[in-house]
Amino acid sequence: MVTLLWAIVEDENYLRGVANCGGARSVDEAIAPILYALARYPMGFDETDVKGMYLARTKLRINGPDFTLSHSVWFCPDEKTKTVELRWIEITAPDAMADDLDYI
């Protein structure tokens, strides 16, 4: 069985959001599970009120004294070309992080 992976491209606004969240190194580590899922089946995430725009969030992770903030990623998948365009990323609002708390 052959699994076709989706291509992931980054919009200019997404890159600005990455800079606002601390840079590529910290963001890539924080959203690695999302990128993995997007490359396999991005349609599995929740669609927003904007047609064709989807939202994925990581969980707030606490491991002893270390923690990783929750991130929200907005993206648009294109089923015809099997491409996911990352549109925006930001650190999730604190009140929404409480819903996604994950103690390690």
Side-chain angles (χ1 to χ4, degrees):
M1 178 177 174
V2 176
T3 302
L4 299 176
L5 298 180
W6 291 58
I8 298 176
V9 296
E10 298 171 341
D11 180 81
E12 185 177 309
N13 290 322
Y14 174 81
L15 296 175
R16 259 186 244 121
V18 167
N20 292 341
C21 291
R25 180 176 288 175
S26 63
V27 168
D28 286 349
E29 184 179 320
I31 68 165
I34 289 176
L35 296 177
Y36 179 85
L38 290 178
R40 278 142 187 83
Y41 187 66
M43 309 307 289
F45 289 92
D46 294 330
E47 190 168 9
T48 65
D49 293 335
V50 177
K51 184 170 173 52
M53 181 77 69
Y54 288 73
L55 173 63
R57 285 193 323 197
T58 62
K59 291 184 175 188
L60 171 62
R61 292 185 299 246
I62 300 172
N63 185 7
D66 300 325
F67 63 93
T68 303
L69 296 175
S70 173
H71 288 73
S72 298
V73 179
W74 284 264
F75 63 93
C76 294
D78 183 344
E79 288 191 87
K80 291 179 186 173
T81 61
K82 296 286 190 215
T83 301
V84 176
E85 183 178 16
L86 302 177
R87 293 290 186 92
W88 181 250
I89 184 169
E90 65 186 28
I91 295 173
T92 306
D95 58 337
M97 278 188 214
D99 298 336
D100 296 326
L101 189 57
D102 186 19
Y103 290 98
I104 297 176

